[in-house]
Amino acid sequence: MRQVADRDRIWTFMRAVGAEAKQQTRFYFTGGATAVLLDWRPSTIDVDVMFIPESDEIFRSIPRLKESLKINVELASPADFIPELPGWQERSVFVTQEGKVAFFHYDLYAQALAKIERSHSQDIGDVQEMISRGLVERSRVWSLFTTIEPQLYRYPSLDPRAFRSAVENIVGSQNS
């Protein structure tokens, strides 16, 4: 049975992934793993990740690491839910280097917008925590939303009007 992923489990996971990689890789944490590593949640149910470039050795290691560490690891990023934000890689926050793997928090602005779009209560709490900790600025969240808004049609399950309304309710408009 898999357990929640706390800070120690996530760090153990990073060391294990670093030991597996044969090439330079950028590995991104999203969602709950970011919340745990930045200390506003003690644990997360899933460790959501993506990595560039994709590599067979890391893909093959994930099921084994999930079992040995008894954690849930899912391949997911904000770009699965909303259009990719310009400059997201440059805004991604470095965590550590393990072997050939550089670990990052996926762009916090992209995470915030994806969480707003999903609108689960824990996601909204995470966005409020990001704002209160100064990790994202309301005006920049709004600006980045308006940048991707013309591309929302590419995500048929997303309701553009509801998404805009949710962003306005949480971060305000450009005047906030």
Side-chain angles (χ1 to χ4, degrees):
M1 184 165 124
R2 296 205 175 100
Q3 301 169 8
V4 295
D6 61 11
R7 187 177 186 78
D8 291 340
R9 279 185 200 283
I10 296 170
W11 278 97
T12 300
F13 175 72
M14 284 190 275
R15 286 189 291 277
V17 169
E20 296 285 337
K22 306 288 187 262
Q23 64 180 337
Q24 296 296 324
T25 304
R26 290 175 62 97
F27 201 96
Y28 298 91
F29 289 112
T30 64
T34 291
V36 170
L37 292 173
L38 292 179
D39 292 326
W40 75 76
R41 271 203 249 153
S43 63
T44 184
I45 294 171
D46 298 316
V47 177
D48 295 329
V49 302
M50 72 161 293
F51 47 96
I52 301 172
E54 292 184 346
S55 66
D56 286 345
E57 69 264 3
I58 294 177
F59 275 123
R60 287 185 178 115
S61 72
I62 288 175
R64 185 172 21 83
L65 293 173
K66 285 170 67 168
E67 290 306 313
S68 67
L69 299 174
K70 295 181 175 34
I71 61 172
N72 258 347
V73 178
E74 300 293 333
L75 299 174
S77 77
D80 294 330
F81 306 100
I82 63 171
E84 194 172 89
L85 299 183
W88 73 267
Q89 287 185 331
E90 293 79 16
R91 283 189 306 274
S92 295
V93 179
F94 180 74
V95 177
T96 193
Q97 178 88 28
E98 291 288 341
K100 294 186 177 209
V101 182
F103 291 89
F104 294 85
H105 295 295
Y106 194 104
D107 175 25
L108 297 176
Y109 287 95
Q111 287 195 52
L113 283 168
K115 286 173 175 291
I116 292 169
E117 191 283 320
R118 287 179 37 162
S119 291
H120 298 301
S121 61
Q122 187 164 28
D123 288 330
I124 299 308
D126 285 346
V127 174
Q128 291 167 339
E129 193 66 36
M130 288 181 201
I131 292 167
S132 71
R133 289 172 175 250
L135 299 171
V136 296
E137 297 172 0
R138 292 173 189 271
S139 61
R140 185 75 171 136
V141 173
W142 177 257
S143 174
L144 287 165
F145 169 76
T146 61
T147 300
I148 64 167
E149 190 173 23
Q151 300 168 34
L152 296 180
Y153 72 91
R154 294 175 175 259
Y155 292 75
S157 65
L158 191 153
D159 178 344
R161 283 190 295 260
F163 187 20
R164 179 180 244 280
S165 178
V167 173
E168 286 175 337
N169 288 336
I170 293 165
V171 301
S173 65
Q174 70 260 22
N175 296 325
S176 294

